[in-house]
Amino acid sequence: MKVSDPRAIRLFTAGLAAVGLAVSLAAIGVAGGPRNALIVQGLAAVLAVGLALLVGRFWRRTRWRLWVLTAACGLALVLTLMNGVSLEGARRWLALGPIQLHTASLALPFAAWAFAKGFDDRRVAPIAGLVALLLLYQHDAASSLAFALALAAAALVERPRQLTPWACVIVAALLAYAAWVEPDTLPAVPYVEGLLVNAMAANPVLGFVAGVLMISLPAPFLAVAQALPERRAEALALAALWTGWIAGNLFGNYPAPVLGYGAAPILAWGLSLGLVLGDSENQDPPAS
């Protein structure tokens, strides 16, 4: 079985997910996470598997209007700014009972995917620029960086002739810079933002393995980009998106994606995988 075989990529991804969950639970435990955090983490992983399978099975059969999909992502961010949970002036979460979900984690994979496939629709890029602006108001530098990298990766692969997508990339980059120069006032939680540092202090081997696994999160998307040229732009956009979130944790006070405690990033990774690992026999949706 070749590495470029989609089945091999799925098997590799399944192995990465299984090992990642085990290491995540162990790292959260040694970093001081409570028992309910471990339960939520495990349940989120189960839901993420279901979402990945569901999205992968049916997503490409639906004839999406990509500008509507991008607008829906922006609307989710607007609702979060209006009615979301506020912590130290930042509004990044929507409350779902006792659980707070990070909205950008769930919205940005869809927005990045739509941008990568929507260069034939002139409405997609301006709405994506609005999404980047909304991220700035959420005071979420990691997501601003991740989205800017995703847009840049898609544009560099597809090289659209229109000026609007390139302008959107520049705007997103400037907004990401503005987000990073603004101080983050949220305190770090040991088993969320400080997971790697605290796990390394408690168990150097576990901390090292957790770091390697976190850095490996974009690997399935890179494999898809190599194996399926028709999906290269969307796969590399999602790889860049996750690279930005990883950089947010390594260079700033932001959650360790998937490995740190938090249901939304785990669900988002499952959604992202479903978007690019969908059944190849299904027809990809049109751009408009």
Side-chain angles (χ1 to χ4, degrees), residues 271-285:
L271 289 170
S272 300
L273 292 170
L275 288 173
V276 297
L277 286 173
D279 295 337
S280 59
E281 65 269 18
N282 292 338
Q283 182 180 3
D284 284 353

Side-chain angles (χ1 to χ4, degrees), residues 139-217:
H139 302 284
D140 191 348
S143 293
S144 291
L145 173 63
F147 194 53
L149 291 177
L151 300 186
L156 288 172
V157 171
E158 291 294 331
R159 298 183 181 277
R161 295 183 179 181
Q162 309 96 313
L163 293 178
T164 305
W166 294 105
C168 179
V169 171
I170 295 172
V171 168
L174 293 175
L175 292 172
Y177 172 78
W180 274 97
V181 298
E182 179 179 332
D184 185 14
T185 58
L186 285 175
V189 178
Y191 51 92
V192 182
E193 290 86 2
L195 177 83
L196 296 184
V197 173
N198 287 282
M200 186 72 71
N203 187 321
V205 174
L206 179 62
F208 174 78
V209 173
V212 171
L213 286 171
M214 189 178 75
I215 295 173
S216 301
L217 292 176

Side-chain angles (χ1 to χ4, degrees), residues 209-248:
V209 173
V212 171
L213 286 171
M214 189 178 75
I215 295 173
S216 301
L217 292 176
F221 308 105
L222 297 175
V224 170
Q226 181 181 11
L228 302 173
E230 69 276 13
R231 300 186 189 179
R232 182 170 290 124
E234 60 197 86
L236 290 181
L238 288 169
L241 183 74
W242 285 95
T243 299
W245 275 325
I246 294 167

Side-chain angles (χ1 to χ4, degrees), residues 244-277:
W245 275 325
I246 294 167
N249 176 254
L250 295 177
F251 302 107
N253 188 26
Y254 293 92
V258 177
L259 275 294
Y261 170 67
I266 297 177
L267 298 176
W269 198 57
L271 289 170
S272 300
L273 292 170
L275 288 173
V276 297
L277 286 173

Side-chain angles (χ1 to χ4, degrees), residues 113-163:
W113 181 86
F115 181 84
K117 296 190 69 62
F119 291 114
D120 292 334
D121 187 340
R122 296 181 179 181
R123 294 164 290 188
V124 173
I127 300 174
L130 177 60
V131 170
L133 179 62
L134 292 170
L135 291 172
L136 177 66
Y137 282 99
Q138 284 195 334
H139 302 284
D140 191 348
S143 293
S144 291
L145 173 63
F147 194 53
L149 291 177
L151 300 186
L156 288 172
V157 171
E158 291 294 331
R159 298 183 181 277
R161 295 183 179 181
Q162 309 96 313
L163 293 178

